[in-house]
Amino acid sequence: MTAGFQLGVIGSLTLSVASSVAIVICNKALISTLGFPFATTLTSWHLMVTFCTLHVAQRMRFFEPKAVDGQTVILFGLLNGTSIGLLNLSLGFNSIGFYQMTKLAIIPFTVMLETIFLKKRFSESIKFSLLILLLGVGIASVTDLKLNLLGSILSGLAIATTCVGQILTNTIQKRLKVSSTQLLYQSAPYQAAILFATGPFVDHLLTNRSVFAHKYSAPVVGFIVLSCLIAVSVNFSTFLVIGTTSPVTYQVLGHLKTCLILSFGYTLLHDPFTMRNILGILVAIFGMALYSYFSVRESKKKSAGDPLPVSQMPEKEVEPLLATKDVNGDTKKANGVAHDC
């Protein structure tokens, strides 16, 4: 990898972490303090603002739009919008522990799908580091595993749509030679549309309250606007990270956000914590460090012509799976938010 590419990857990872932590803080204030629990509808507004911002940027020639096959973009946008709604429903119908297990399951399912359909090979070192990471996040965040049939079905659908959506984000960018900005610009309207149509229903189902009957005070409107502005950065960085790295790396980054948010809650917000939480965060950080080390080492070997398998091999010439992005999958159930935007 060139130095410029490495700096770009580091920048995209940093932007993703910073914007995700910022939106968690903003949404925590909006939902928990100001009493605005309509997460799915809020996400549709995030995506509409993202599209409008990108449209203005395109008109000002900050980037050149690139036409993408209409059917692919529509299916891709609807799939990503559906995954957000399913994650919110999963959070609403499951316990915190089972929801966290749903989030953890995304990594191994992504690895499985990439192995089967994209013929990628993951080394034993990468698999071991991912296992350590998942173990640590599980120790830190999983509290209980109460099961119910509807919640389990919703979680399964959320895992499937999220995995396929993130794989497609990476695959479409590489196969069609489009940038993360171009793909987000093309797909954001469709993601926003499906959430705008279903959001009020989903939110009413989860909260037994109507978004249309809510009293919109000045502080609520202010935090909604702030949340939408931060979401532009979250959505952009999500597509950027997946496009420049891989869906698995993005999920690893998502668990780093979980650890940072938990640490933030413990140190600044004085949330209750135990030695188990601290131990889990330390184990997860160790797993992420191992994953980063092995990924960089194997990328260097690949660049030198070493035939060892790595987790981020070039895309194979196969048909994409037709079917981003943490609004806060890292937040607690009380926040009622299941994605980063």
Side-chain angles (χ1 to χ4, degrees), residues 174-240:
K174 291 182 177 179
R175 285 179 56 84
L176 301 183
K177 304 275 192 300
V178 296
S179 68
S180 55
T181 306
Q182 290 168 331
L183 181 58
L184 180 58
Y185 178 61
Q186 293 278 352
S187 63
Y190 301 104
Q191 296 184 58
I194 189 170
L195 291 175
F196 189 77
T198 61
F201 170 76
V202 172
D203 288 333
H204 188 273
L205 189 65
L206 296 177
T207 66
N208 201 30
R209 293 168 58 184
S210 172
V211 66
F212 304 110
H214 188 78
K215 182 180 179 181
Y216 290 88
S217 62
V220 169
V221 173
F223 271 91
I224 289 175
V225 172
L226 178 60
S227 180
C228 288
L229 293 176
I230 299 174
V232 175
S233 178
V234 173
N235 288 321
F236 173 72
S237 63
T238 295
F239 277 64
L240 190 61

Short mmCIF file of all heavy atoms in Angstrom, two decimals, residues 174-240:
data_model
loop_
_atom_site.label_atom_id
_atom_site.label_comp_id
_atom_site.label_asym_id
_atom_site.label_seq_id
_atom_site.Cartn_x
_atom_site.Cartn_y
_atom_site.Cartn_z
N LYS A 174 -15.88 -1.38 -5.75
CA LYS A 174 -14.73 -1.92 -6.47
C LYS A 174 -15.09 -2.37 -7.88
O LYS A 174 -14.35 -2.12 -8.83
CB LYS A 174 -14.13 -3.08 -5.68
CG LYS A 174 -13.46 -2.63 -4.38
CD LYS A 174 -12.82 -3.78 -3.64
CE LYS A 174 -12.10 -3.29 -2.39
NZ LYS A 174 -11.48 -4.39 -1.62
N ARG A 175 -16.23 -3.04 -8.03
CA ARG A 175 -16.60 -3.57 -9.34
C ARG A 175 -17.01 -2.48 -10.32
O ARG A 175 -16.69 -2.54 -11.50
CB ARG A 175 -17.74 -4.59 -9.19
CG ARG A 175 -17.30 -5.93 -8.63
CD ARG A 175 -18.49 -6.87 -8.50
NE ARG A 175 -19.17 -7.03 -9.77
CZ ARG A 175 -18.80 -7.90 -10.72
NH1 ARG A 175 -17.75 -8.67 -10.52
NH2 ARG A 175 -19.49 -8.01 -11.83
N LEU A 176 -17.74 -1.48 -9.83
CA LEU A 176 -18.24 -0.43 -10.71
C LEU A 176 -17.36 0.81 -10.73
O LEU A 176 -17.70 1.80 -11.36
CB LEU A 176 -19.68 -0.05 -10.30
CG LEU A 176 -20.70 -1.19 -10.33
CD1 LEU A 176 -22.08 -0.69 -9.98
CD2 LEU A 176 -20.71 -1.88 -11.69
N LYS A 177 -16.25 0.76 -9.97
CA LYS A 177 -15.29 1.87 -9.95
C LYS A 177 -15.95 3.18 -9.53
O LYS A 177 -15.75 4.23 -10.16
CB LYS A 177 -14.66 2.04 -11.33
CG LYS A 177 -13.97 0.78 -11.86
CD LYS A 177 -12.56 0.65 -11.35
CE LYS A 177 -11.77 -0.41 -12.09
NZ LYS A 177 -12.32 -1.76 -12.01
N VAL A 178 -16.76 3.14 -8.47
CA VAL A 178 -17.38 4.35 -7.93
C VAL A 178 -16.80 4.63 -6.56
O VAL A 178 -16.41 3.72 -5.84
CB VAL A 178 -18.92 4.22 -7.84
CG1 VAL A 178 -19.52 4.07 -9.21
CG2 VAL A 178 -19.32 3.05 -6.96
N SER A 179 -16.73 5.90 -6.22
CA SER A 179 -16.21 6.29 -4.91
C SER A 179 -17.31 6.13 -3.86
O SER A 179 -18.49 5.96 -4.18
CB SER A 179 -15.73 7.73 -4.94
OG SER A 179 -16.83 8.62 -5.09
N SER A 180 -16.91 6.19 -2.59
CA SER A 180 -17.88 6.09 -1.51
C SER A 180 -18.88 7.24 -1.59
O SER A 180 -20.07 7.06 -1.34
CB SER A 180 -17.16 6.11 -0.16
OG SER A 180 -16.33 7.26 -0.05
N THR A 181 -18.41 8.43 -1.96
CA THR A 181 -19.29 9.60 -2.07
C THR A 181 -20.32 9.40 -3.19
O THR A 181 -21.51 9.69 -3.02
CB THR A 181 -18.47 10.87 -2.35
OG1 THR A 181 -17.45 11.01 -1.37
CG2 THR A 181 -19.36 12.11 -2.34
N GLN A 182 -19.86 8.90 -4.33
CA GLN A 182 -20.77 8.68 -5.45
C GLN A 182 -21.83 7.64 -5.13
O GLN A 182 -23.00 7.81 -5.47
CB GLN A 182 -19.96 8.26 -6.68
CG GLN A 182 -19.09 9.37 -7.26
CD GLN A 182 -18.08 8.86 -8.27
OE1 GLN A 182 -17.63 7.71 -8.20
NE2 GLN A 182 -17.72 9.71 -9.22
N LEU A 183 -21.43 6.55 -4.46
CA LEU A 183 -22.39 5.51 -4.13
C LEU A 183 -23.39 5.99 -3.08
O LEU A 183 -24.59 5.71 -3.18
CB LEU A 183 -21.65 4.26 -3.62
CG LEU A 183 -22.53 3.06 -3.25
CD1 LEU A 183 -23.37 2.62 -4.44
CD2 LEU A 183 -21.67 1.91 -2.74
N LEU A 184 -22.91 6.71 -2.08
CA LEU A 184 -23.81 7.23 -1.06
C LEU A 184 -24.79 8.22 -1.66
O LEU A 184 -25.99 8.22 -1.33
CB LEU A 184 -22.99 7.91 0.06
CG LEU A 184 -23.78 8.52 1.22
CD1 LEU A 184 -24.64 7.46 1.90
CD2 LEU A 184 -22.83 9.16 2.22
N TYR A 185 -24.31 9.06 -2.57
CA TYR A 185 -25.17 10.05 -3.23
C TYR A 185 -26.28 9.36 -4.03
O TYR A 185 -27.44 9.80 -4.04
CB TYR A 185 -24.32 10.93 -4.15
CG TYR A 185 -25.09 11.96 -4.93
CD1 TYR A 185 -25.83 12.95 -4.30
CD2 TYR A 185 -25.07 11.95 -6.33
CE1 TYR A 185 -26.53 13.91 -5.02
CE2 TYR A 185 -25.76 12.91 -7.06
CZ TYR A 185 -26.49 13.88 -6.40
OH TYR A 185 -27.19 14.82 -7.13
N GLN A 186 -25.93 8.27 -4.69
CA GLN A 186 -26.91 7.55 -5.51
C GLN A 186 -27.93 6.79 -4.66
O GLN A 186 -29.11 6.70 -5.01
CB GLN A 186 -26.19 6.55 -6.42
CG GLN A 186 -25.31 7.18 -7.48
CD GLN A 186 -26.09 7.62 -8.70
OE1 GLN A 186 -27.27 7.33 -8.84
NE2 GLN A 186 -25.45 8.35 -9.60
N SER A 187 -27.50 6.22 -3.54
CA SER A 187 -28.36 5.31 -2.77
C SER A 187 -29.10 5.97 -1.62
O SER A 187 -30.13 5.45 -1.16
CB SER A 187 -27.53 4.14 -2.22
OG SER A 187 -26.54 4.61 -1.32
N ALA A 188 -28.61 7.10 -1.12
CA ALA A 188 -29.22 7.75 0.05
C ALA A 188 -30.71 8.03 -0.10
O ALA A 188 -31.48 7.83 0.84
CB ALA A 188 -28.45 9.03 0.41
N PRO A 189 -31.18 8.51 -1.27
CA PRO A 189 -32.62 8.79 -1.39
C PRO A 189 -33.49 7.55 -1.17
O PRO A 189 -34.57 7.65 -0.57
CB PRO A 189 -32.76 9.31 -2.82
CG PRO A 189 -31.41 9.79 -3.21
CD PRO A 189 -30.45 8.90 -2.50
N TYR A 190 -33.03 6.40 -1.64
CA TYR A 190 -33.82 5.18 -1.49
C TYR A 190 -33.79 4.66 -0.05
O TYR A 190 -34.79 4.16 0.46
CB TYR A 190 -33.30 4.11 -2.45
CG TYR A 190 -33.34 4.56 -3.89
CD1 TYR A 190 -32.18 4.95 -4.55
CD2 TYR A 190 -34.55 4.63 -4.58
CE1 TYR A 190 -32.22 5.38 -5.88
CE2 TYR A 190 -34.60 5.06 -5.90
CZ TYR A 190 -33.43 5.44 -6.54
OH TYR A 190 -33.48 5.88 -7.83
N GLN A 191 -32.63 4.81 0.60
CA GLN A 191 -32.56 4.45 2.02
C GLN A 191 -33.49 5.35 2.83
O GLN A 191 -34.21 4.89 3.72
CB GLN A 191 -31.12 4.59 2.53
CG GLN A 191 -30.13 3.65 1.88
CD GLN A 191 -28.76 3.78 2.49
OE1 GLN A 191 -28.57 3.60 3.69
NE2 GLN A 191 -27.77 4.11 1.67
N ALA A 192 -33.44 6.65 2.53
CA ALA A 192 -34.29 7.59 3.26
C ALA A 192 -35.76 7.33 3.00
O ALA A 192 -36.59 7.40 3.92
CB ALA A 192 -33.94 9.03 2.85
N ALA A 193 -36.10 6.98 1.76
CA ALA A 193 -37.50 6.79 1.39
C ALA A 193 -38.14 5.64 2.16
O ALA A 193 -39.25 5.78 2.70
CB ALA A 193 -37.62 6.54 -0.12
N ILE A 194 -37.45 4.50 2.24
CA ILE A 194 -38.05 3.35 2.91
C ILE A 194 -38.17 3.60 4.41
O ILE A 194 -39.16 3.21 5.05
CB ILE A 194 -37.25 2.06 2.63
CG1 ILE A 194 -38.05 0.86 3.16
CG2 ILE A 194 -35.85 2.11 3.25
CD1 ILE A 194 -37.47 -0.48 2.71
N LEU A 195 -37.20 4.32 4.99
CA LEU A 195 -37.29 4.63 6.42
C LEU A 195 -38.30 5.74 6.70
O LEU A 195 -38.97 5.74 7.74
CB LEU A 195 -35.91 5.04 6.95
CG LEU A 195 -34.87 3.92 7.02
CD1 LEU A 195 -33.52 4.47 7.44
CD2 LEU A 195 -35.32 2.82 7.97
N PHE A 196 -38.43 6.68 5.76
CA PHE A 196 -39.42 7.74 5.93
C PHE A 196 -40.83 7.17 5.90
O PHE A 196 -41.72 7.63 6.62
CB PHE A 196 -39.24 8.78 4.82
CG PHE A 196 -40.06 10.02 5.01
CD1 PHE A 196 -39.68 10.99 5.92
CD2 PHE A 196 -41.23 10.22 4.28
CE1 PHE A 196 -40.44 12.14 6.10
CE2 PHE A 196 -42.00 11.35 4.45
CZ PHE A 196 -41.60 12.32 5.37
N ALA A 197 -41.02 6.14 5.07
CA ALA A 197 -42.34 5.52 4.94
C ALA A 197 -42.68 4.61 6.11
O ALA A 197 -43.83 4.55 6.57
CB ALA A 197 -42.42 4.74 3.63
N THR A 198 -41.68 3.88 6.60
CA THR A 198 -41.93 2.90 7.66
C THR A 198 -41.56 3.39 9.05
O THR A 198 -42.00 2.80 10.04
CB THR A 198 -41.13 1.60 7.37
OG1 THR A 198 -39.72 1.90 7.36
CG2 THR A 198 -41.53 1.01 6.03
N GLY A 199 -40.75 4.45 9.13
CA GLY A 199 -40.25 4.91 10.42
C GLY A 199 -41.32 5.23 11.45
O GLY A 199 -41.26 4.74 12.58
N PRO A 200 -42.33 6.05 11.11
CA PRO A 200 -43.38 6.36 12.10
C PRO A 200 -44.09 5.12 12.62
O PRO A 200 -44.41 5.02 13.82
CB PRO A 200 -44.33 7.27 11.31
CG PRO A 200 -43.47 7.91 10.29
CD PRO A 200 -42.48 6.86 9.89
N PHE A 201 -44.33 4.14 11.74
CA PHE A 201 -44.98 2.90 12.16
C PHE A 201 -44.09 2.10 13.10
O PHE A 201 -44.53 1.62 14.15
CB PHE A 201 -45.33 2.05 10.93
CG PHE A 201 -45.78 0.65 11.27
CD1 PHE A 201 -47.06 0.41 11.77
CD2 PHE A 201 -44.92 -0.42 11.11
CE1 PHE A 201 -47.47 -0.88 12.10
CE2 PHE A 201 -45.32 -1.71 11.42
CZ PHE A 201 -46.60 -1.94 11.92
N VAL A 202 -42.81 1.95 12.73
CA VAL A 202 -41.87 1.21 13.57
C VAL A 202 -41.71 1.88 14.93
O VAL A 202 -41.73 1.23 15.98
CB VAL A 202 -40.50 1.08 12.87
CG1 VAL A 202 -39.45 0.48 13.81
CG2 VAL A 202 -40.62 0.23 11.61
N ASP A 203 -41.56 3.20 14.91
CA ASP A 203 -41.38 3.93 16.18
C ASP A 203 -42.61 3.84 17.06
O ASP A 203 -42.50 3.73 18.29
CB ASP A 203 -41.04 5.40 15.88
CG ASP A 203 -39.64 5.58 15.34
OD1 ASP A 203 -38.78 4.73 15.64
OD2 ASP A 203 -39.40 6.55 14.60
N HIS A 204 -43.80 3.90 16.46
CA HIS A 204 -45.04 3.77 17.24
C HIS A 204 -45.15 2.37 17.83
O HIS A 204 -45.59 2.19 18.98
CB HIS A 204 -46.26 4.07 16.37
CG HIS A 204 -47.55 4.13 17.13
ND1 HIS A 204 -48.33 3.02 17.39
CD2 HIS A 204 -48.19 5.19 17.73
CE1 HIS A 204 -49.39 3.37 18.08
NE2 HIS A 204 -49.33 4.68 18.30
N LEU A 205 -44.70 1.38 17.07
CA LEU A 205 -44.73 -0.01 17.55
C LEU A 205 -43.81 -0.19 18.75
O LEU A 205 -44.12 -0.92 19.70
CB LEU A 205 -44.31 -0.95 16.42
CG LEU A 205 -44.48 -2.45 16.63
CD1 LEU A 205 -45.95 -2.82 16.77
CD2 LEU A 205 -43.86 -3.23 15.46
N LEU A 206 -42.68 0.50 18.73
CA LEU A 206 -41.68 0.33 19.79
C LEU A 206 -41.94 1.21 21.01
O LEU A 206 -41.60 0.84 22.13
CB LEU A 206 -40.28 0.63 19.24
CG LEU A 206 -39.76 -0.32 18.15
CD1 LEU A 206 -38.40 0.15 17.65
CD2 LEU A 206 -39.66 -1.75 18.67
N THR A 207 -42.51 2.40 20.79
CA THR A 207 -42.66 3.36 21.88
C THR A 207 -44.10 3.62 22.29
O THR A 207 -44.34 4.25 23.33
CB THR A 207 -42.03 4.72 21.48
OG1 THR A 207 -42.79 5.29 20.40
CG2 THR A 207 -40.58 4.54 21.04
N ASN A 208 -45.06 3.18 21.45
CA ASN A 208 -46.48 3.46 21.69
C ASN A 208 -46.76 4.96 21.71
O ASN A 208 -47.67 5.43 22.37
CB ASN A 208 -46.96 2.82 23.00
CG ASN A 208 -48.47 2.65 23.02
OD1 ASN A 208 -49.10 2.47 21.97
ND2 ASN A 208 -49.06 2.73 24.20
N ARG A 209 -45.95 5.71 20.96
CA ARG A 209 -46.12 7.15 20.83
C ARG A 209 -46.01 7.54 19.37
O ARG A 209 -45.37 6.85 18.58
CB ARG A 209 -45.05 7.90 21.66
CG ARG A 209 -45.20 7.70 23.15
CD ARG A 209 -43.97 8.21 23.90
NE ARG A 209 -43.71 9.63 23.64
CZ ARG A 209 -42.64 10.27 24.12
NH1 ARG A 209 -41.75 9.61 24.85
NH2 ARG A 209 -42.47 11.55 23.85
N SER A 210 -46.63 8.66 19.00
CA SER A 210 -46.62 9.11 17.61
C SER A 210 -45.61 10.24 17.43
O SER A 210 -45.59 11.21 18.20
CB SER A 210 -48.00 9.60 17.20
OG SER A 210 -47.96 10.22 15.92
N VAL A 211 -44.78 10.11 16.40
CA VAL A 211 -43.81 11.15 16.11
C VAL A 211 -44.50 12.44 15.68
O VAL A 211 -43.97 13.54 15.87
CB VAL A 211 -42.82 10.67 15.01
CG1 VAL A 211 -43.54 10.47 13.68
CG2 VAL A 211 -41.66 11.62 14.86
N PHE A 212 -45.70 12.32 15.12
CA PHE A 212 -46.43 13.50 14.66
C PHE A 212 -47.07 14.28 15.81
O PHE A 212 -47.34 15.47 15.69
CB PHE A 212 -47.50 13.09 13.65
CG PHE A 212 -46.97 12.33 12.48
CD1 PHE A 212 -47.24 10.98 12.33
CD2 PHE A 212 -46.18 12.96 11.52
CE1 PHE A 212 -46.74 10.27 11.25
CE2 PHE A 212 -45.67 12.26 10.44
CZ PHE A 212 -45.95 10.90 10.30
N ALA A 213 -47.33 13.59 16.94
CA ALA A 213 -47.96 14.24 18.08
C ALA A 213 -46.94 14.78 19.08
O ALA A 213 -47.32 15.37 20.08
CB ALA A 213 -48.90 13.25 18.79
N HIS A 214 -45.66 14.56 18.82
CA HIS A 214 -44.63 15.00 19.76
C HIS A 214 -44.53 16.52 19.78
O HIS A 214 -44.70 17.19 18.75
CB HIS A 214 -43.28 14.39 19.38
CG HIS A 214 -42.21 14.63 20.39
ND1 HIS A 214 -42.11 13.91 21.56
CD2 HIS A 214 -41.18 15.51 20.41
CE1 HIS A 214 -41.07 14.33 22.25
NE2 HIS A 214 -40.49 15.31 21.58
N LYS A 215 -44.23 17.07 20.96
CA LYS A 215 -44.06 18.52 21.09
C LYS A 215 -42.61 18.88 20.76
O LYS A 215 -41.68 18.48 21.46
CB LYS A 215 -44.39 18.97 22.52
CG LYS A 215 -44.28 20.47 22.72
CD LYS A 215 -44.62 20.87 24.15
CE LYS A 215 -44.49 22.38 24.34
NZ LYS A 215 -44.81 22.78 25.73
N TYR A 216 -42.43 19.62 19.69
CA TYR A 216 -41.09 19.96 19.20
C TYR A 216 -40.65 21.31 19.78
O TYR A 216 -40.88 22.37 19.18
CB TYR A 216 -41.07 19.98 17.68
CG TYR A 216 -41.20 18.61 17.07
CD1 TYR A 216 -42.47 18.06 16.82
CD2 TYR A 216 -40.10 17.84 16.78
CE1 TYR A 216 -42.60 16.79 16.28
CE2 TYR A 216 -40.21 16.56 16.24
CZ TYR A 216 -41.46 16.05 16.00
OH TYR A 216 -41.60 14.78 15.47
N SER A 217 -40.02 21.24 20.94
CA SER A 217 -39.49 22.45 21.57
C SER A 217 -38.21 22.88 20.87
O SER A 217 -37.63 22.13 20.07
CB SER A 217 -39.22 22.20 23.05
OG SER A 217 -38.23 21.19 23.21
N ALA A 218 -37.73 24.08 21.19
CA ALA A 218 -36.51 24.58 20.57
C ALA A 218 -35.30 23.68 20.84
O ALA A 218 -34.53 23.39 19.91
CB ALA A 218 -36.24 26.01 21.05
N PRO A 219 -35.09 23.21 22.09
CA PRO A 219 -33.96 22.30 22.31
C PRO A 219 -34.06 21.01 21.51
O PRO A 219 -33.05 20.52 20.99
CB PRO A 219 -34.03 22.03 23.83
CG PRO A 219 -34.75 23.19 24.40
CD PRO A 219 -35.75 23.59 23.36
N VAL A 220 -35.27 20.45 21.39
CA VAL A 220 -35.45 19.20 20.62
C VAL A 220 -35.09 19.44 19.16
O VAL A 220 -34.35 18.66 18.55
CB VAL A 220 -36.90 18.69 20.75
CG1 VAL A 220 -37.16 17.57 19.74
CG2 VAL A 220 -37.16 18.20 22.17
N VAL A 221 -35.61 20.52 18.59
CA VAL A 221 -35.31 20.84 17.19
C VAL A 221 -33.82 21.07 17.00
O VAL A 221 -33.21 20.61 16.02
CB VAL A 221 -36.12 22.07 16.73
CG1 VAL A 221 -35.69 22.50 15.33
CG2 VAL A 221 -37.61 21.76 16.74
N GLY A 222 -33.21 21.77 17.95
CA GLY A 222 -31.78 22.05 17.86
C GLY A 222 -30.94 20.79 17.85
O GLY A 222 -30.01 20.65 17.04
N PHE A 223 -31.26 19.85 18.73
CA PHE A 223 -30.50 18.60 18.80
C PHE A 223 -30.80 17.71 17.58
O PHE A 223 -29.93 16.95 17.15
CB PHE A 223 -30.79 17.85 20.09
CG PHE A 223 -29.87 18.25 21.22
CD1 PHE A 223 -30.22 19.28 22.08
CD2 PHE A 223 -28.67 17.60 21.41
CE1 PHE A 223 -29.38 19.65 23.11
CE2 PHE A 223 -27.81 17.96 22.43
CZ PHE A 223 -28.17 18.99 23.29
N ILE A 224 -32.02 17.78 17.04
CA ILE A 224 -32.32 17.03 15.82
C ILE A 224 -31.46 17.54 14.66
O ILE A 224 -30.87 16.75 13.90
CB ILE A 224 -33.81 17.13 15.47
CG1 ILE A 224 -34.66 16.32 16.47
CG2 ILE A 224 -34.07 16.64 14.04
CD1 ILE A 224 -36.15 16.47 16.26
N VAL A 225 -31.38 18.86 14.53
CA VAL A 225 -30.54 19.45 13.48
C VAL A 225 -29.08 19.06 13.67
O VAL A 225 -28.39 18.66 12.71
CB VAL A 225 -30.69 20.99 13.47
CG1 VAL A 225 -29.68 21.61 12.51
CG2 VAL A 225 -32.11 21.38 13.07
N LEU A 226 -28.58 19.14 14.91
CA LEU A 226 -27.19 18.77 15.20
C LEU A 226 -26.95 17.30 14.88
O LEU A 226 -25.93 16.93 14.27
CB LEU A 226 -26.86 19.06 16.66
CG LEU A 226 -25.44 18.68 17.12
CD1 LEU A 226 -24.40 19.45 16.32
CD2 LEU A 226 -25.29 18.95 18.62
N SER A 227 -27.89 16.45 15.26
CA SER A 227 -27.77 15.02 14.98
C SER A 227 -27.72 14.76 13.48
O SER A 227 -26.92 13.93 13.01
CB SER A 227 -28.95 14.27 15.61
OG SER A 227 -28.87 12.88 15.37
N CYS A 228 -28.54 15.45 12.72
CA CYS A 228 -28.56 15.26 11.26
C CYS A 228 -27.25 15.71 10.63
O CYS A 228 -26.73 15.06 9.71
CB CYS A 228 -29.72 16.04 10.64
SG CYS A 228 -31.36 15.33 10.98
N LEU A 229 -26.68 16.79 11.13
CA LEU A 229 -25.41 17.28 10.59
C LEU A 229 -24.27 16.30 10.89
O LEU A 229 -23.43 16.03 10.02
CB LEU A 229 -25.09 18.67 11.16
CG LEU A 229 -26.03 19.80 10.73
CD1 LEU A 229 -25.67 21.10 11.43
CD2 LEU A 229 -26.00 19.99 9.22
N ILE A 230 -24.25 15.77 12.11
CA ILE A 230 -23.21 14.78 12.45
C ILE A 230 -23.40 13.51 11.63
O ILE A 230 -22.44 12.87 11.21
CB ILE A 230 -23.25 14.45 13.96
CG1 ILE A 230 -22.98 15.70 14.80
CG2 ILE A 230 -22.23 13.37 14.30
CD1 ILE A 230 -23.16 15.47 16.30
N ALA A 231 -24.66 13.17 11.35
CA ALA A 231 -24.96 11.96 10.60
C ALA A 231 -24.40 12.01 9.18
O ALA A 231 -24.08 10.97 8.60
CB ALA A 231 -26.48 11.74 10.54
N VAL A 232 -24.27 13.19 8.61
CA VAL A 232 -23.64 13.32 7.29
C VAL A 232 -22.24 12.74 7.34
O VAL A 232 -21.82 11.96 6.47
CB VAL A 232 -23.61 14.79 6.83
CG1 VAL A 232 -22.85 14.92 5.51
CG2 VAL A 232 -25.03 15.33 6.68
N SER A 233 -21.50 13.10 8.39
CA SER A 233 -20.14 12.58 8.55
C SER A 233 -20.15 11.08 8.84
O SER A 233 -19.32 10.33 8.32
CB SER A 233 -19.44 13.32 9.70
OG SER A 233 -18.15 12.81 9.93
N VAL A 234 -21.11 10.62 9.64
CA VAL A 234 -21.21 9.20 9.96
C VAL A 234 -21.47 8.38 8.70
O VAL A 234 -20.79 7.38 8.43
CB VAL A 234 -22.32 8.95 11.00
CG1 VAL A 234 -22.54 7.45 11.20
CG2 VAL A 234 -21.97 9.60 12.33
N ASN A 235 -22.46 8.80 7.91
CA ASN A 235 -22.81 8.05 6.69
C ASN A 235 -21.67 8.05 5.69
O ASN A 235 -21.35 7.03 5.08
CB ASN A 235 -24.07 8.66 6.05
CG ASN A 235 -25.32 8.36 6.83
OD1 ASN A 235 -25.50 7.27 7.35
ND2 ASN A 235 -26.21 9.33 6.94
N PHE A 236 -21.05 9.21 5.52
CA PHE A 236 -19.94 9.31 4.56
C PHE A 236 -18.77 8.43 5.00
O PHE A 236 -18.20 7.69 4.19
CB PHE A 236 -19.50 10.76 4.45
CG PHE A 236 -18.26 10.95 3.61
CD1 PHE A 236 -18.31 10.80 2.23
CD2 PHE A 236 -17.05 11.25 4.20
CE1 PHE A 236 -17.17 10.96 1.45
CE2 PHE A 236 -15.90 11.41 3.43
CZ PHE A 236 -15.97 11.26 2.06
N SER A 237 -18.42 8.48 6.29
CA SER A 237 -17.27 7.71 6.77
C SER A 237 -17.55 6.22 6.73
O SER A 237 -16.63 5.41 6.51
CB SER A 237 -16.89 8.15 8.19
OG SER A 237 -17.94 7.89 9.11
N THR A 238 -18.82 5.82 6.92
CA THR A 238 -19.17 4.40 6.84
C THR A 238 -18.87 3.84 5.44
O THR A 238 -18.21 2.81 5.30
CB THR A 238 -20.66 4.19 7.16
OG1 THR A 238 -20.90 4.55 8.52
CG2 THR A 238 -21.06 2.73 6.95
N PHE A 239 -19.35 4.54 4.41
CA PHE A 239 -19.09 4.10 3.04
C PHE A 239 -17.60 4.18 2.72
O PHE A 239 -17.06 3.32 2.01
CB PHE A 239 -19.89 4.96 2.06
CG PHE A 239 -21.32 4.52 1.88
CD1 PHE A 239 -22.21 4.56 2.94
CD2 PHE A 239 -21.76 4.07 0.66
CE1 PHE A 239 -23.52 4.15 2.78
CE2 PHE A 239 -23.09 3.66 0.48
CZ PHE A 239 -23.97 3.70 1.55
N LEU A 240 -16.93 5.20 3.25
CA LEU A 240 -15.50 5.37 2.99
C LEU A 240 -14.69 4.23 3.59
O LEU A 240 -13.81 3.67 2.95
CB LEU A 240 -15.04 6.72 3.55
CG LEU A 240 -13.63 7.18 3.17
CD1 LEU A 240 -13.52 7.35 1.66
CD2 LEU A 240 -13.30 8.50 3.89
#
